Amino acid sequence: MTQSRQPVREGGRRVVAQGLGSHGVGGRAPEGAEQGPGAEQPGNAGGARNPRVSSMASASAPKCNSHTSENEPVKSTSQDGVNCDLNETVPRLPGETLITDKEVIYICPFNGPIKGRVYITNYRLYLRSLETDSTLIFDVPLGVISRIEKMGGATSRGENSYGLDITCKDMRNLRFALKQEGHSRRDMFEILTRYAFPLAHSLPLFAFLNEEKFNVDGWMVYNPVEEYRRQGLPNHQWRITFINKCYELCETYPALLVVPYRASDDDLRRVAAFRSRNRIPVLSWIHPENKMVIVRCSQPLVGMSGKRNKDDEKYLDVIRETNRQLSKLTIYDARPSVNAVANKATGGGYESDDAYHNAELFFLDIHNIHVMRESLKKVKDIVYPNVEESHWLSSLESTHWLEHIKLVLTGAIQVADKVSSGKSSVLVHCSDGWDRTAQLTSLAMLMLDSFYRSIEGFEILVQKEWISFGHKFASRIGHGDKNHADADRSPIFLQFVDCVWQMSKQFPTAFEFNERFLITILDHLYSCRFGTFLLNCESAREKQKVTERTVSLWSLINSNKEKFKNPFYTKEINRVLYPVASMRHLELWVNYYIRWNPRIKQQQPNAVEQRYMELLALRDDYIKRLEELQLANSSKVSSASTSPSSPSQMMPHVQTHF
Amino acid sequence: MEFSELIRTGRAQAELLRGPEAPPLRGTLCVTSHHLLLSPGTEASPDLWLLLLRSVDSIEKRVAGDSGTITLRCKDLRVLQLDIEGVEATLDIARSIEALSSLESVITSFPFFYRPKGLRLGDAWHFHPPERYYQRVARETNAWRLSEVNEDFSLCPSYPRALIVPHSVDDQALARSAGFRQGGRFPVLSYHHARNGTALLRSSQPLTGPQKRRCAEDEELLRAVLVGARPGARGFIIDTRSAQAAKQARMTGGGTEAKAAYPGWKRLHRPLERGRPLQESFVRLVEACGDLEQSMDRWLSRLEGCRWLAHVKEALSTACLAAQGMEREGACILVHGAEGTDSTLLVTSLAQLILDPLSRTMDGFQELVEREWIQAGHPFQLRCAHSAFSHARPKHEAPTFLLFLDCVWQLGRQFPLSLEFGEGLLLALFEHAYASPFGSFLCNSEKERGLCEVRTRTHSLWSGLNQPKEQRKLRNPLYALNPLAIWPSVEPQSLRLWQGLFLRWTRPPEPSETAWEKVWQIVTDSEKTEGSA
């Protein structure tokens, strides 16, 4: 029976890995070491209650004497680099050069001050402890830095009151204390400012200096012609146009667009005049069977006087008529109706009933970039450096972050449902059509089309709906720019990735990628190591020759795909996912927003990943065998009409077993 | 049979609505002694729909025109609606269900009539008694012995016959100690931590009373525990009441250990919610989860207002404290509150899960539940008489056991590989604790179970659950033995609402069973190919 079952019987590898996970550092060894701080606690805690208990209980997770817990996520991001040997003083990417190093006190919000040596390269800032055998404490790409402030003055008193406070875009702050003598922080401040905000100093972003080589070229992942061909385009109703080849029609749109067959290039030009920033309605996705489409654009330029444009009205009707049986075209305006009305004052607006007889317009009540930015700020306030303890759920509620997530998901569900049910084609816009519109179209496409739920499919989705259609990454993130308070900055893309994460929670077998994939994308959204998220639109990228001069993030990911795979992925063609967007089923993405706090860290991540990798390997092996068997079978009965005709067509069949 | 008097009608035509997911069922409804039965017309599927009447927590009837509607809220939190033809039939059926679902007699309950195919009476009843656990302890140390001083339940009616006590303390001393503890629950071994020889004990409060009485044998017993662990060992007494509540208990004859009387032992107070406030928290949570009308903008603060997750946090942190004392301090731990049958068991059983890898296996966990809850005298019949929907005034109901299951679920979520069992087992235990065809959770103590002949006349839940066909639902496919302690994070950010239980009937589109079934397929298919390789 169980009781006689000894741990020894279990396979060694797994057990060891799990040990590492649950204790942060090396198996049982640290337990003895940790008795020091722990030893007094039950005694001390005698009378006092709550806070002490909780800190004790979680103190059981690695704490204090093991800083490793903190650098774990860092290690993993640096591991995908070329040099990751922890013993080497300076992990460096090809093209990365060391600028300076300096002895500092790192004021860790969780474990108190740590003496360390900070190294600054043209790509990153990292810190080695000078206390415990030069452990890496953190490793932060400079692109993550949003603001550098001096704290204290030359005359400040008190320990560690003189130094630098660095605000990061990824929900953390780094504080250093420096020696007061000899302006020691001036150098560091200047160098950091220079390399963290290179654009303000006429320096190139690191992506243009990065000389990394990968065996896969991520720039080849997205080819618009191929992607539209996959969707069955062009067809009788829709054509591919190169009218925007030189970005003359619309500066922020891609060169290649899909438009109704019956609309001429001249029509398009006239429509462009009536749409904000010339972002005319173009096709994003077409349903393979019912041929309903998702079309995206910006707001019509109605203005206070309620201008109309016959060409625009006709164009929308042409879109509707691509499905003959349709009597109405559905328009989803992502904004709250008050905002849409208010936009008339600045020349914008929405499609009125009188002008667009054959359209039905709904507002989706999603707020603008400023509201989202403030909401995320509030989230940071309650998770960093200290997590809100006593009223966690109501404080979380007061940030409204999950409510915004809910509204975005709800909107996307409505778009997906209209299209998938064959009720109507859908036109989506907000004001300029590059923030909320991108969120809605890409999430709806993720729900509708299982292709986008694979690793490469998702890369294509991001590349298409976000990057090529001009989501203003440079403005929203502020790459290399020192103006941290720029009102253009907003976490719109992060919010999209959060929505994807919520979906992957609700459908644990539907996505080929795992959580690490999403976190890696977000990390490199800021890092400026790759060219993928640089600049605001395709025309700007072309001018800067981004694809020639930088490496794509997808090169990194696709050359090491295993790490990013979800072992429970089950490929299901034609399955539409409708996530539940009720508040009951949404949760804060703790592994992302609170990942710097060692107390909240998901337990034993190493072990889980290890086990997942094992499962993946086993599964791949199994698929291979099955394939071999089926191949052997089908060659025996190759004439049988029921058997698939080629191995490539068999794959889906094989995989649906899972 | 007496039941027939309670059954007011033979049968009626009805339609059953089982929530948004399942299709409605039409057929002939009838009430039997223990079940509500719906048999579809002959042409439809031949499957019978069956509901154990005991699992009905509350019943609501409405009549309109010549038909009626009965809403049944079940103890497993399901809500069912029956649309019945005929007003009389509706009222009769409602009255029959009301009468039959609230029968209090144990020996006429369904487990005494349940005779499933493939199971033999008496199987698995001797699966996990304390004697078995003692065999394990005896292999690890000789500091403990098995005492049968409670053979006839005269010392302590809520303890089992056999108990593990310090080797050097004789039965006579135990009897004295029992006289000094409420309900006779003297300190007994709950878990021996073989890694460093420390022990986890549980008891009830000492009866010091206003005069601060002492009991030499009780003091000697605890001294012997420390000596048995190792010379100079220290101990902590974790009192699950606040210091003030413990002091107040003296007025009613209870109290807590005086510092001077128990050298080497230090007392800590960790108040845990119990009784009515805990039940109310449960009721509020279920209400909030079922309230689909309400605007969901306020969901999070409403969830917080229910305080359920705060109770989960307190229970887990207290268990961590006990486990930490043993693992990190090398101290012995005694846990008690007042009666020692509720929050005490919550803490000792959770501490074992944290420390003991064997208790995280399928068999080990079942043994833990049997030993630390059923045999340890958690009054299941009183605590689980009603679930969250009952309109009856709560008397002794409290979801302590559910709170334990929730804490275990949190552990499983934080350590996805370390528990051999999955959510399925926890859900099954919740259901069976409140209403079951098996006898395991009947009565309040071993003594009562003996009087009712539960062991010989009903089937054990464990024999039911351990049938091969049940296993896939209950096991965790990702399990890999983890020989270390698993320390959960108890920050509010790390704790989640147990959706699989509280939102079970309003759940997301890919229920976890479906997902887990796929995972099982991956794992077993892989193993098959591994085997054939």
Side-chain angles (χ1 to χ4, degrees), chain A residues 623-639:
Chain A
I623 290 175
K624 222 168 73 200
R625 275 158 203 275
L626 246 175
E627 245 177 282
E628 281 165 14
L629 273 172
Q630 292 201 354
L631 266 181
N633 273 341
S634 67
S635 65
K636 265 184 232 156
V637 283
S638 54
S639 59

Side-chain angles (χ1 to χ4, degrees), chain B residues 33 56 73 96 127 183 200 231 252 276 359 396 490:
Chain B
S33 318
V56 174
R73 292 191 167 75
S96 313
F127 197 39
L200 178 65
T252 48
R276 177 150 332 159
S359 71
H396 304 287
V490 297

